[in-house]
Amino acid sequence: VRILAIDPGSTHCGTAWFVDGRCEMVHEYGPDELYEVLSYREVDVVVIEEFRLQQGKAMAQIGSKMKTVEVIGTVRFLCKKYEIKMIEQPASIKNVAKGRAKAQGVENLAVKSRMGGHCADAWLHGWFYLESEKRRS
């Protein structure tokens, strides 16, 4: 199973590529590069951080084009077009994933390779998804 985990952003999208349960690569793309990658990479599942407008931050979005939301919508469209399963996860899973990974002695590949930021969050989403799938089976 090939999983592409994405932490979307308006200008930088962190990704973590998992193949058969193992993270093979982390990389940061611009939105247009990400769309291109989705159109030619063979991916079985896309795991992406969902967007929720938080009450305390709503006023800061006045006048914003909310580009991150556009990125998520375009990814959703491409997943439908290419028949790729898409899973949205709340940002809140990142703290849970950090704790579980630490308890299991698993190191975030993005942090290890000094990618950090969006890539580290993408890794957390991918790893959490895989761990959740293991628990279900």
Side-chain angles (χ1 to χ4, degrees):
V1 176
R2 298 158 301 191
I3 298 168
L4 171 60
I6 304 169
D7 181 55
S10 58
T11 56
H12 303 283
C13 299
T15 65
W17 298 86
F18 292 82
V19 178
D20 297 327
R22 184 170 175 269
C23 187
E24 299 285 328
M25 178 179 80
V26 292
H27 189 75
E28 192 170 271
Y29 297 100
D32 290 337
E33 293 172 300
L34 178 64
Y35 309 148
E36 191 173 322
V37 164
L38 276 171
S39 71
Y40 70 81
R41 285 296 291 254
E42 291 190 22
V43 177
D44 300 306
V45 179
V46 165
V47 179
I48 192 166
E49 183 174 300
E50 70 181 7
F51 180 87
R52 296 276 175 168
L53 184 57
Q54 298 172 5
Q55 185 176 3
K57 297 183 180 181
M59 295 302 288
Q61 293 297 325
I62 292 175
S64 166
K65 290 187 177 186
M66 298 181 74
K67 292 285 191 181
T68 301
V69 176
E70 289 181 12
V71 170
I72 295 167
T74 303
V75 169
R76 182 179 293 115
F77 169 79
L78 292 170
C79 285
K80 284 183 181 182
K81 179 177 180 177
Y82 297 116
E83 299 178 346
I84 300 168
K85 180 179 179 180
M86 182 174 151
I87 304 294
E88 290 185 80
Q89 294 181 149
S92 60
I93 66 90
K94 293 184 288 191
N95 288 332
V96 175
K98 280 180 196 175
R100 287 184 187 168
K102 184 176 180 179
Q104 293 180 31
V106 178
E107 191 172 7
N108 184 325
L109 181 63
V111 172
K112 184 178 179 179
S113 61
R114 296 195 171 116
M115 291 294 287
H118 286 293
C119 290
D121 287 352
W123 183 92
L124 288 167
H125 279 287
W127 189 83
F128 185 84
Y129 171 77
L130 287 167
E131 287 297 301
S132 298
E133 288 297 299
K134 283 181 196 173
R135 289 172 188 234
R136 284 190 194 111
S137 27

